[in-house]
Amino acid sequence: MNAPIGVIDSGVGGLTVAKAIMELLPNETIYYIGDTARCPYGPRSKQEVRTYTWQMAKALEKMNVKMLVIACNTATAVALESLQKHMPFPVLGVINAGARAAVKKTKRNEVVVLATEGTIKSGAYEQALLSLNTKAKIIPLACPTFVPLVESGEYEGKFSYDLVETGLMPLQEERFDTVILGCTHYPILQKQIEAAVGPNVHVLSSAEETAKDVEAILQYNGQLRTDEEKPKHVFHASGSVPIFRSICERWLNQEELDIRRITF
Ligand code: DGL
């Protein structure tokens, strides 16, 4: 029960989920892997994303995690089922949580899903949303420029607002009251996305709902951490550690994080 929770993503996006877990469960330890060397996953084939996701899951299995959160929608869409079948601990994705957050909020049942090309092509959000609300009208939009912007670390300033506005142009003629950030990188651009869609639209991520799922699973399994010592989180990146560190420290508002290089 004092083992860490594993959290994986193609890069820094999963930090948005890790942060929500840290806020809801401050006593839990997180071991994070960001596959920054091979990010973005969005344009990659299903097979590639599945292989990379399995490599991260296996690395965390060796580190003795008690559960795994696939904090990446693209990876959830292609690898959740197989990992749930074969890993010796609970494995959670982020797509059902994102769909649930949207269904709770939408009044008009008009929901935009912003995500990577891989997630949009998989149809996983449509499936999750329609299983919760058969009346939902879903407007999917892939935003391939957003992840490289976030991973560059240069996601503040006017340029980022312009880039997001351009990416969201196809929504101009659409009617909707809710936007799901169906890629875990996108909450880092929440301000820019809110500015582009205007004030009457709810912009939601899956992070908080996922953290609630983590709590429920650990509670149910009697696996919440009981150790009173402060948790020591460990972050791994397969690419450049300095850029990863700067984004991690800014986003989590913490300094001197334990960040290590990982190779696959
Ligand atoms: N953050 C990931 C997601 O939620 C993947 C982004 C990418 O690597 O393209 O889909």
Side-chain angles (χ1 to χ4, degrees):
M1 76 183 54
N2 291 323
I5 300 169
V7 179
I8 56 176
D9 180 46
S10 63
V12 297
L15 294 171
T16 60
V17 177
K19 187 176 182 178
I21 299 172
M22 287 173 192
E23 283 169 1
L24 186 68
L25 301 168
N27 200 37
E28 294 295 329
T29 309
I30 291 183
Y31 279 15
Y32 184 92
I33 301 181
D35 192 7
T36 50
R38 299 186 291 199
C39 187
Y41 281 6
R44 293 187 182 277
S45 71
K46 280 187 193 170
Q47 194 46 50
E48 265 178 317
V49 176
R50 198 171 292 129
T51 304
Y52 298 168
T53 307
W54 265 84
Q55 286 172 343
M56 292 192 279
K58 283 287 193 195
L60 285 168
E61 183 184 11
K62 284 204 193 103
M63 296 178 209
N64 296 318
V65 296
K66 60 184 169 190
M67 81 174 285
L68 174 68
V69 181
I70 311 178
C72 173
N73 294 267
T74 317
T76 298
V78 299
L80 177 65
E81 263 180 51
S82 66
L83 284 168
Q84 281 177 331
K85 225 179 266 167
H86 297 287
M87 284 291 143
F89 39 70
V91 181
L92 187 64
V94 281
I95 292 181
N96 285 340
R100 210 164 55 223
V103 165
K104 280 185 189 170
K105 267 282 186 270
T106 183
K107 291 265 179 323
R108 298 206 311 252
N109 300 322
E110 293 162 347
V111 180
V112 165
V113 178
L114 303 181
T116 67
E117 294 141 289
T119 303
I120 297 291
K121 269 195 229 141
S122 77
Y125 265 102
E126 274 88 342
Q127 210 183 326
L129 282 162
L130 291 173
S131 73
L132 295 171
N133 177 348
T134 50
K135 292 198 198 81
K137 179 192 164 211
I138 300 148
I139 306 155
L141 179 64
C143 306
T145 56
F146 292 7
V147 170
L149 176 70
V150 171
E151 289 288 328
S152 73
E154 308 288 330
Y155 50 80
E156 277 137 16
K158 182 165 182 320
F159 174 75
S160 66
Y161 283 83
D162 292 345
L163 184 136
V164 167
E165 204 181 315
T166 308
L168 300 185
M169 289 282 218
L171 298 178
Q172 262 171 354
E173 305 298 316
E174 300 286 355
R175 273 170 51 100
F176 55 92
D177 68 353
T178 302
V179 171
I180 306 180
L181 303 178
C183 168
T184 54
H185 281 73
Y186 298 177
I188 297 178
L189 299 171
Q190 177 125 5
K191 277 188 291 184
Q192 292 84 336
I193 293 168
E194 281 173 349
V197 297
N200 300 321
V201 175
H202 302 292
V203 178
L204 312 166
S205 85
S206 54
E208 281 77 26
E209 288 290 325
T210 303
K212 284 187 211 158
D213 286 347
V214 170
E215 182 182 39
I217 291 170
L218 292 180
Q219 214 154 35
Y220 182 77
N221 291 337
Q223 279 191 314
L224 284 163
R225 183 168 178 265
T226 51
D227 205 332
E228 278 171 16
E229 232 177 88
K230 202 168 167 263
K232 291 194 182 86
H233 308 302
V234 183
F235 301 84
H236 306 83
S238 57
S240 154
V241 168
I243 301 179
F244 187 76
R245 174 179 298 284
S246 120
I247 301 175
C248 265
E249 295 189 343
R250 245 187 301 162
W251 180 254
L252 299 176
N253 212 3
Q254 292 179 37
E255 282 176 1
E256 294 184 21
L257 296 172
D258 183 349
I259 302 187
R260 306 175 189 183
R261 185 85 198 276
I262 191 165
T263 45
F264 296 108

